[in-house]
Amino acid sequence: MQTRMPGSRSTLGRRLLPVLLAGLCGGLALTILSLSPPGPSSGLADEVTAALAQTGVTSPVTAVLLDFRGYDTLLEMAVLLLALGGVWSLVAHLPRIDGRPGIMLDRLTRLYLPLMLVVAGYLLWAGGTAPGGAFQSGAVLGAAGVVLTLGGWRLPPRLAGWPLRLVLTAGLVIFIAVGLLPIGFGSLWLDYPRAWAGGLILLIETTASLSIGATLAALFLGGQPRGDP
Amino acid sequence: MTSTLEAALTARSDLIAPVLAPLVGALLSFLLRRWAMPIGLISIIGLVLAVLMLIPEALATGPRWLAVGGWEAPLGIVLHADGLSLAMLFMTAAVGLAISLYAAVYFHDQPSRAWSFWPLWLLLLTGLTALFLAADIFNLYVTLELLGRAAAALTALAGGADALVGAMRYLLVSLLGSLAYLLGVALLYHAYGTVDLGLLADRIAGLPATWAALGLMSAGLLLKTALFPLHFWLPPAHSNAPAPVSAALSALVVKGSFYLWLRLWLELFGGLGLGVETFLGLLGAGAVIWGSLQALRQTRLKLLVAYSTVAQIGYLFLAFPLALGGATTAWTGAIYLAVSHALAKAAMFLAAGNLLRFGGHDRIADLDRVVQRLPLSIAAFALAGVSIMGLPPSGGFIGKWLLLEAALSQGRWGWALVILLGGVLAATYVFKVLGYAFTQSETPHRARPVPAVMEWAALSLAASAILLGLIVAPPLALLAIGEPFAMATGAVGP
Amino acid sequence: MTPATLYALTGVGLFAIGLYAFIRHAHLLRKILAFNVMGSGVFLVLIGLARRTPTGLTDPVPQAMVITGIVVAVAATALALSLMLRVVATIGRTELPDDPARRAE
């Protein structure tokens, strides 16, 4: 099955493609059905529950994201920063957006923005015990940034240079620093000391949510804000 | 298994150093962009030192594990370094050092491009080192994404229409491959309850989910490795990128997805007795012949070198059928070829970049007596060509010789013939370029000077490829650490 | 058929539909949207099958994996859109030309 761009006008290819994909879909569906009754293993829910007490948070998903599989989260934040670096390398400067927002957008922005910040803060705090955490609150912060941008607001040039980049990288920097901390105590990379685990996770999540929010808003902007380098 | 996990928990954390060195460098070079180039060079030196410190210890005490965060599998992520990973890490460090030195000079007069280049390049190196050390298939997905995005963004850095189109096609292909791989990960997790490679190797059986995952992951990874006939995206992307990026793409990035596929094969899918090996070998043979023929037809130097990459990747897949009888020399030969190819191909692309900068073009027929005017670059190209052709003494010769030995010892004349034929075809296109290097072009071109660092970077890489053919015993000892090629015969059937 | 299986089958269907659209359409924006549909399909498969534990607790590891996957997909989409805008601005069309390697001869 060629993923060649459709300049090839061969009707045989066009007829064959749905048939092949239907076959693929059917095969995968049969695989899913074969997995339906809980097989030899039912996933890792039990292991997570057993080890949860050692992590300092009570939400199992947060524990997996930031403690058991924290290394994945670290690399994923690097992917997000990489995307921003790529976008900034492609666009030389900020494209012009037409300035005057409508009155609805203006008023609603003023109303919603504080609420969004409060919701983001709540999601961050609640992440320890309920669904929530760094990525969720970061997404809300990013949305707040998008709404601000649509309303015509721009970052002051004084802050658009290295202060902005500091906020963007802070999440990763703090995460790596916290990860290196246990090595100084004779422990392993990312092995948080048990007594401080909850506090360290909250610290990582706070800086991470700020970084993620700033990165998402900057990705929406699609170009590098003019500022002093 | 528990003894290795104990070893993982009590091990020191130096296994993470090759990942952290480029990552911290990327963050700092993003933050302090005026100092991006010095920070980048310091980071790559840090990476080289980290890898050099791991190797002697591994030679002495054997393979290493690190349970990140103190959590054992299946709950946590385990890093693993055996001979195969260390060989790949060494290749990354060596080629990365030369490319970084080249790039420092290459982007010297374009500071805004340099600011974009260094964070992206260091994150690409982070993705590579994290990929070579990972032993967890979901972690491998994240590293694969890091690698692919960085490669696509770097390809687009040159800015012209051809580069942007090549980068877009590369990005789309890469995304498709990654998603197919991720679906395979999902099926494997839900079938066996873990994403750790070691535990999966113990638990794998002949379930439908295994076949589906094999199909999906192989399709995705072979697409990303540009195995014939899924190679269509590679020549435009690799030939239109800036010279240091082309070198990185052909030498390192394609080896990343190849390494991943090899690892999955050795740990999970190889022992299931499926008969896929011959199919892979046939595709590899097709790549060798088709890629070499296409390389011969090219009029642009960088396209010729890119098609040569397509051909050389085919050699790596010839090891699959040759290792069927348990002959691990086939795998050793393939990895030796992979590392030599990385050194030689990077040298070729850097030399081609020098020629491009010198004359302003890379048309092969118009290489205006560069033998006299850029002797170091042409020498680099010639030495690299020796390794690509597989002539002694060179790393390429050792690799091909090991493959041939595996083929002839089993009486498989067909594969041996393909290997020899590939060498002859490679000779034709290498000599084509060298022949034109001696001739004078009809229209003289205004020449731009090429800085010495760029020429020496290319030459030292080519010399290393030759050196790999002279110093053979230590690399072979390195590859034997942990016996990565002794395939576990997994249980077949539920 | 449990809800878990239903979600997973929907995910497979989305994957196939997205793959068809990805191959069939030449317009770059459609390809990127098709990639997103495929991604959602894979995430559904991951999450859907996570509910079939015998104890009734949902497996948290696939949920964490999907959160990671969503962030990676967002990053990839942003990069692809930016590159698409650059490509369209440069070549003036919203589709990739067929095979530049042959064209350069």
Side-chain angles (χ1 to χ4, degrees):
Chain A
M1 186 167 63
Q2 277 270 36
T3 48
R4 195 167 278 278
M5 304 297 143
S8 49
R9 307 272 166 223
S10 58
T11 46
L12 178 65
R14 274 204 192 157
R15 296 245 181 87
L16 204 54
L17 185 59
V19 173
L20 285 174
L21 284 177
L24 174 71
C25 188
L28 288 174
L30 287 175
T31 312
I32 301 287
L33 289 172
S34 79
L35 287 174
S36 306
S41 49
S42 61
L44 293 170
D46 302 325
E47 284 91 334
V48 171
T49 319
L52 200 52
Q54 302 174 38
T55 59
V57 295
T58 49
S59 159
V61 179
T62 307
V64 174
L65 260 183
L66 283 163
D67 201 337
F68 301 133
R69 300 187 68 94
Y71 181 53
D72 269 346
T73 308
L74 188 116
L75 288 180
E76 159 209 357
M77 285 166 66
V79 174
L80 200 52
L81 190 65
L82 170 64
L84 186 63
V87 168
W88 279 5
S89 80
L90 287 169
V91 184
H93 54 266
L94 205 53
R96 297 240 135 254
I97 303 183
D98 49 341
R100 313 252 57 191
I103 194 163
M104 276 292 282
L105 187 57
D106 195 52
R107 291 283 181 263
L108 283 177
T109 308
R110 291 168 197 277
L111 182 62
Y112 283 155
L113 202 62
L115 290 175
M116 288 173 110
L117 293 177
V118 169
V119 168
Y122 168 73
L123 281 174
L124 179 62
W125 179 254
T129 55
F135 290 102
Q136 292 82 336
S137 81
V140 176
L141 282 178
V146 169
V147 168
L148 268 179
T149 308
L150 286 175
W153 179 83
R154 290 287 174 274
L155 203 57
R158 220 172 13 99
L159 295 178
W162 67 264
L164 174 64
R165 296 202 298 274
L166 190 61
V167 172
L168 290 169
T169 53
L172 264 173
V173 169
I174 296 288
F175 206 154
I176 295 177
V178 171
L180 289 173
L181 192 66
I183 298 183
F185 286 85
S187 195
L188 292 175
W189 158 249
L190 277 181
D191 188 3
Y192 315 130
R194 290 287 164 260
W196 301 344
L200 285 175
I201 289 181
L202 188 58
L203 172 66
I204 295 174
E205 288 206 298
T206 311
T207 42
S209 76
L210 287 172
S211 285
I212 292 168
T215 311
L216 289 175
L219 281 174
F220 173 77
L221 215 50
Q224 198 169 343
R226 274 184 223 269
D228 320 317
Chain B
M1 200 63 191
T2 47
S3 61
T4 55
L5 287 175
E6 279 172 19
L9 288 177
T10 53
R12 289 170 301 149
S13 300
D14 51 355
L15 219 51
I16 198 70
V19 177
L20 283 183
L23 180 57
V24 171
L27 291 175
L28 288 176
S29 68
F30 184 76
L31 195 51
L32 307 166
R33 51 171 59 165
R34 287 235 179 89
W35 291 283
M37 193 260 281
I39 292 174
L41 289 178
I42 295 176
S43 312
I44 190 74
I45 293 176
L47 171 62
V48 172
L49 289 175
V51 173
L52 286 178
M53 284 197 311
L54 282 176
I55 289 182
E57 184 172 347
L59 280 170
T61 59
R64 304 271 314 279
W65 282 267
L66 170 64
V68 175
W71 301 107
E72 341 170 336
L75 205 52
I77 300 174
V78 174
L79 298 180
H80 177 49
D82 63 1
L84 181 55
S85 333
L86 287 172
M88 294 282 120
L89 278 177
F90 178 75
M91 170 188 84
T92 308
V95 176
L97 180 62
I99 292 180
S100 301
L101 289 169
Y102 187 96
V105 179
Y106 186 87
F107 288 112
H108 187 62
D109 50 352
Q110 308 164 54
S112 59
R113 268 211 193 140
W115 294 346
S116 309
F117 171 79
W118 286 103
L120 293 174
W121 164 237
L122 289 167
L123 282 171
L124 186 141
L125 287 173
T126 310
L128 272 171
T129 50
L131 188 134
F132 292 137
L133 284 169
D136 175 293
I137 54 178
F138 186 74
N139 196 21
L140 283 165
Y141 167 72
V142 184
T143 62
L144 208 56
E145 288 292 286
L146 198 54
L147 188 59
R149 292 319 126 253
L154 282 171
T155 309
L157 210 55
D162 285 334
L164 289 172
V165 167
M168 185 85 225
R169 183 179 290 112
Y170 180 22
L171 183 61
L172 290 173
V173 160
S174 176
L175 292 176
L176 189 61
S178 301
L179 268 184
Y181 175 80
L182 184 60
L183 188 55
V185 170
L187 291 175
L188 281 179
Y189 175 76
H190 284 301
Y192 300 112
T194 176
V195 282
D196 179 70
L197 264 179
L199 289 177
L200 275 174
D202 290 338
R203 298 181 191 178
I204 198 134
L207 295 180
T210 313
W211 315 134
L214 169 64
L216 286 165
M217 289 164 124
S218 66
L221 289 174
L222 294 183
L223 181 59
K224 289 167 90 84
T225 317
L227 178 64
F228 176 86
L230 298 174
H231 66 285
F232 58 91
W233 58 267
L234 190 145
H238 286 207
S239 60
N240 288 311
V245 175
S246 303
L249 290 175
S250 265
L252 299 175
V253 176
V254 291
K255 305 299 181 344
S257 43
F258 172 72
Y259 164 85
L260 181 46
W261 171 241
L262 182 61
R263 213 31 121 176
L264 290 175
W265 181 262
L266 291 171
E267 301 259 348
L268 300 180
F269 299 124
L272 292 175
L274 293 169
V276 176
E277 298 93 341
T278 315
F279 180 61
L280 288 174
L282 285 174
L283 290 183
V288 169
I289 306 221
W290 178 254
S292 305
L293 287 176
Q294 285 293 90
L296 199 50
R297 285 182 55 204
Q298 299 305 316
T299 55
R300 280 184 53 210
L301 183 57
K302 287 186 82 168
L303 270 174
L304 182 147
V305 182
Y307 272 106
S308 166
T309 302
V310 172
Q312 298 286 309
I313 289 170
Y315 279 112
L316 302 178
F317 283 91
L318 288 177
F320 283 84
L322 289 177
L324 256 181
T328 55
T329 49
W331 295 126
T332 315
I335 299 302
Y336 219 94
L337 260 183
V339 177
S340 315
H341 173 253
L343 294 167
K345 192 46 63 71
M348 270 192 170
F349 264 120
L350 293 185
N354 290 340
L355 293 174
L356 188 58
R357 174 175 269 225
F358 178 71
H361 70 91
D362 68 337
R363 289 187 300 276
I364 301 175
D366 284 338
L367 291 176
D368 191 12
R369 288 178 295 122
V370 288
V371 166
Q372 293 169 276
R373 292 147 83 181
L374 280 183
L376 290 177
S377 299
I378 282 296
F381 193 92
L383 283 179
V386 166
S387 183
I388 298 281
M389 288 187 276
L391 293 178
S394 68
F397 168 70
I398 302 286
K400 280 196 191 171
W401 188 64
L402 288 171
L403 280 178
L404 271 174
E405 191 187 33
L408 295 175
S409 69
Q410 298 172 47
R412 325 265 292 265
W413 302 100
W415 302 119
L417 195 60
V418 169
I419 297 172
L420 292 171
L421 188 59
V424 170
L425 288 173
T428 56
Y429 60 73
V430 169
F431 280 120
K432 170 180 171 176
V433 175
L434 290 178
Y436 275 111
F438 281 86
T439 61
Q440 181 163 5
S441 83
E442 294 170 356
T443 55
H445 304 282
R446 187 176 52 88
R448 262 178 79 188
V450 175
V453 172
M454 286 162 66
E455 293 207 81
W456 282 105
L459 189 57
S460 49
L461 277 176
S464 313
I466 300 293
L467 212 59
L468 214 53
L470 296 169
I471 308 177
V472 180
L476 287 180
L478 179 67
L479 270 179
I481 299 174
E483 288 184 19
F485 303 123
M487 282 199 302
T489 55
V492 178
Chain C
M1 179 175 301
T2 60
T5 320
L6 200 56
Y7 286 134
L9 287 175
T10 313
V12 165
L14 281 178
F15 185 80
I17 292 174
L19 186 56
Y20 176 72
F22 190 90
I23 299 174
R24 175 76 176 73
H25 291 294
H27 196 290
L28 285 173
L29 187 57
R30 291 221 178 147
K31 284 192 190 289
I32 297 174
L33 290 173
F35 159 72
N36 274 301
V37 170
M38 285 172 70
S40 302
V42 177
F43 299 148
L44 259 183
V45 170
L46 257 176
I47 286 279
L49 291 174
R51 290 204 51 200
R52 37 169 207 136
T53 59
T55 54
L57 281 177
T58 313
D59 193 349
V61 173
Q63 297 181 45
M65 291 202 271
V66 167
I67 292 181
T68 305
I70 290 176
V71 173
V72 166
V74 165
T77 306
L79 186 61
L81 286 173
S82 219
L83 188 52
M84 176 192 81
L85 286 175
R86 220 20 228 292
V87 167
V88 170
T90 308
I91 67 172
R93 299 200 308 272
T94 53
E95 303 170 357
L96 289 177
D98 225 300
D99 199 353
R102 291 220 198 103
R103 197 186 58 181
E105 295 270 354

